[in-house]
Amino acid sequence: MPLAGVAITALVAICSVPLFITGLAVKFLREPLHTRTYISLGLGVVGVCLLVAQPQSVAFSNTASNTALTGILGIGLALLSGFVYAVYVIIAKVNLAQMETLTVTAFSFTTSAFLLSPVLILQVGHLTWVSLPFLIYLGVVPTSLAYIFYMVSLKQTSAITAGIVVLLEPLTATLLGVFALGEPLFWTGILGAILLVGAIGICFNCNQKSS
């Protein structure tokens, strides 16, 4: 049973990531903060809120047994997820100064695969030949390749910039939903997309000036 709605969970997790990364990068990597960075972060977070948060979807699960406490717990876990991911980005950034991109990615996911292997063993009875190609795709394309590309960008730019760029994920998902699945896009989503594009533009402009 979900502790909180899908939309609010995704919203909290996605929006918290660049904020956590910024705080950690300033504290541990000594990355500078500029006025443009604050503006970019603000526009990005507001843009994601408008893009993801439809009024009818940002709510706790509408079940009788769901309470405010479980909803808060769900949001807390989403925040924890964002923080843990931010720590991963900071650690990866430090290691990328001494190691190759592919090495960092391979070590990260090999460790993850080892830790998650007991879950795979427990679920092996649910695997079918039909689901196997899709599982392989999930492992190769949106996981391995996506993170290799992300590590390449993280090595070339600041952790703060890489964190803000992560906010493009809901925009990409929205555009795929609109053009591939025919999902509706409301005016709030359009405004959110415009703010997100503006945030990324300001972020890259600031990054070029500081480099």
Side-chain angles (χ1 to χ4, degrees):
M1 180 181 297
L3 297 177
V6 174
I8 188 66
T9 303
L11 188 64
V12 170
I14 293 171
C15 290
S16 66
V17 167
L19 300 177
F20 283 134
I21 289 176
T22 299
L24 293 173
V26 171
K27 174 70 175 178
F28 296 104
L29 302 181
R30 305 301 182 196
E31 292 187 2
L33 270 179
H34 307 284
T35 302
R36 289 174 180 263
T37 306
Y38 287 111
I39 296 174
S40 182
L41 273 171
L43 290 176
V45 170
V46 173
V48 171
C49 289
L50 291 172
L51 196 64
V52 175
Q54 299 301 322
Q56 69 275 14
S57 61
V58 182
F60 299 139
S61 180
N62 294 322
T63 58
S65 60
N66 199 68
T67 64
L69 182 60
T70 57
I72 292 172
L73 178 59
I75 292 175
L77 290 174
L79 282 171
L80 180 61
S81 172
F83 178 75
V84 170
Y85 181 79
V87 172
Y88 163 76
V89 170
I90 299 302
I91 293 175
K93 180 66 176 176
V94 172
N95 282 282
L96 284 170
Q98 307 168 357
M99 303 167 65
E100 292 297 324
T101 301
L102 192 59
T103 304
V104 174
T105 308
F107 184 82
S108 300
F109 285 101
T110 300
T111 305
S112 300
F114 176 76
L115 293 175
L116 291 173
S117 57
V119 179
L120 179 62
I121 294 173
L122 292 174
Q123 296 294 322
V124 69
H126 299 282
L127 294 177
T128 64
W129 289 108
V130 176
S131 63
L132 190 59
F134 296 101
L135 293 174
I136 293 175
Y137 169 82
L138 290 175
V140 173
V141 179
T143 303
S144 299
L145 289 180
Y147 273 88
I148 288 173
F149 295 149
Y150 187 71
M151 288 298 110
V152 171
S153 69
L154 185 61
K155 189 169 187 175
Q156 302 299 324
T157 188
S158 67
I160 294 175
T161 299
I164 295 174
V165 171
V166 168
L167 294 175
L168 280 175
E169 181 181 337
L171 176 59
T172 306
T174 299
L175 292 176
L176 285 174
V178 170
F179 292 107
L181 302 177
E183 295 181 353
L185 182 61
F186 302 101
W187 70 268
T188 52
I190 296 174
L191 179 58
I194 294 172
L195 292 178
L196 267 175
V197 172
I200 300 302
I202 293 173
C203 179
F204 277 115
N205 183 263
C206 179
N207 191 61
Q208 287 178 352
K209 287 188 176 182
S210 60
S211 60

